[in-house]
Amino acid sequence: DQHDQLLPKKVEAFAGQRVLAVSAGYLHSLAITADGSVWSWGKEGRGDGWGSRGMLGHGQIQLLPTKVEAFAGRRVIAVS
């Protein structure tokens, strides 16, 4: 869901996929799936909590995991 979680929770967006790596920032997270796709979600911090720069590769805020299409056709092996 789109609410802060205080305890670990299954991320439904990854149902049926194998997640190989996750990187978590203060207001955002990144994941790599077995096919080398990069997913991002969250906000970019800038004091007000809502960034206006790269928007995690989507051009807009994504609060649910969303595949970063800029990496389509490439196999990403690490995120941070």
Side-chain angles (χ1 to χ4, degrees):
D1 60 40
Q2 297 181 18
H3 302 283
D4 291 343
Q5 299 296 318
L6 300 177
L7 298 172
K9 182 178 179 182
K10 182 178 180 178
V11 179
E12 296 298 329
F14 296 120
Q17 297 189 60
R18 185 168 170 228
V19 176
L20 301 180
V22 175
S23 179
Y26 176 62
L27 294 172
H28 70 280
S29 297
L30 298 164
I32 298 177
T33 51
D35 65 357
S37 296
V38 176
W39 297 69
S40 70
W41 64 101
K43 310 178 220 178
E44 292 181 334
R46 231 190 25 181
D48 60 2
W50 297 94
S52 61
R53 290 167 269 189
M55 297 298 177
L56 304 172
H58 303 293
Q60 61 188 15
I61 293 168
Q62 293 292 334
L63 297 180
L64 298 174
T66 305
K67 189 183 288 189
V68 180
E69 295 300 330
F71 293 115
R74 298 176 185 251
R75 184 168 184 81
V76 177
I77 59 170
V79 291
S80 69

